[in-house]
Amino acid sequence: ETKADSILPSYCCFVVTLKCIMKCKMCYIWKDNGNISKELTIQEWKNIVNSLKGFLDTKHDIILSGGEPLLKKDILDLVSYITKSGYRVSLETNSYLIDKELAKEIQNSGLWRICISLDSLAENTHDLLRGRKGSYDKVMRGLEYLNKFCPSVGINIQTTVMEQNLDELIKLAEWVTNDERLDYI
């Protein structure tokens, strides 16, 4: 066995869907929403999880990404399956769909961490970069629901650095550092 043979990945990222409800300036997945080829089913993703045994040990994470993974039917069933298989599961989201009921379902799924896209504390800047008016408000409401109904789920903020938000990043980072609901940015 060589040194290269013993190097294992520290995480695995599954792009579970390319469907999205945003029109982000940094991503063009939304332009192809009508042309998305057949996506893997939840069962097919479960089979992939099973195939990782022996390759990715349970000290590592599986990240569910997209598009918007919360648009994927039965995504929280996949979260539960991965968790029961011994992995920590993170989910990346724009938070637009998170309401009280979904937050409760997220808590019950066994999700370890949720990573929310937030590009600025300035509502207009965030909405501009995400291409959807009202998306900033949905992030803030989603954070409240997650804080209230998902006490065991860690919350991270993910930010895309662009010319439009460059001058706002320090304020955002300070806010995350000082907000007890959030783990890191």
Side-chain angles (χ1 to χ4, degrees), residues 166-179:
L166 195 56
D167 294 336
E168 302 165 14
L169 296 177
I170 291 175
K171 183 178 178 182
L172 179 61
E174 289 173 345
W175 175 75
V176 170
T177 300
N178 294 317
D179 191 317

Side-chain angles (χ1 to χ4, degrees), residues 110-174:
L111 188 70
W112 173 63
R113 183 170 305 283
I114 193 162
C115 306
I116 296 176
S117 298
L118 179 62
D119 297 313
S120 175
L121 290 177
E123 180 177 356
N124 290 338
T125 303
H126 177 79
D127 286 0
L128 169 77
L129 292 175
R130 293 294 156 176
R132 186 161 185 154
K133 188 153 182 58
S135 62
Y136 175 86
D137 288 337
K138 290 283 194 169
V139 167
M140 293 304 159
R141 264 187 252 130
L143 286 172
E144 288 301 317
Y145 290 128
L146 291 167
N147 184 57
K148 185 172 184 176
F149 298 107
C150 300
S152 67
V153 178
I155 304 172
N156 294 350
I157 298 297
Q158 294 186 150
T159 302
T160 302
V161 177
M162 297 188 68
E163 182 179 348
Q164 295 90 336
N165 68 348
L166 195 56
D167 294 336
E168 302 165 14
L169 296 177
I170 291 175
K171 183 178 178 182
L172 179 61
E174 289 173 345

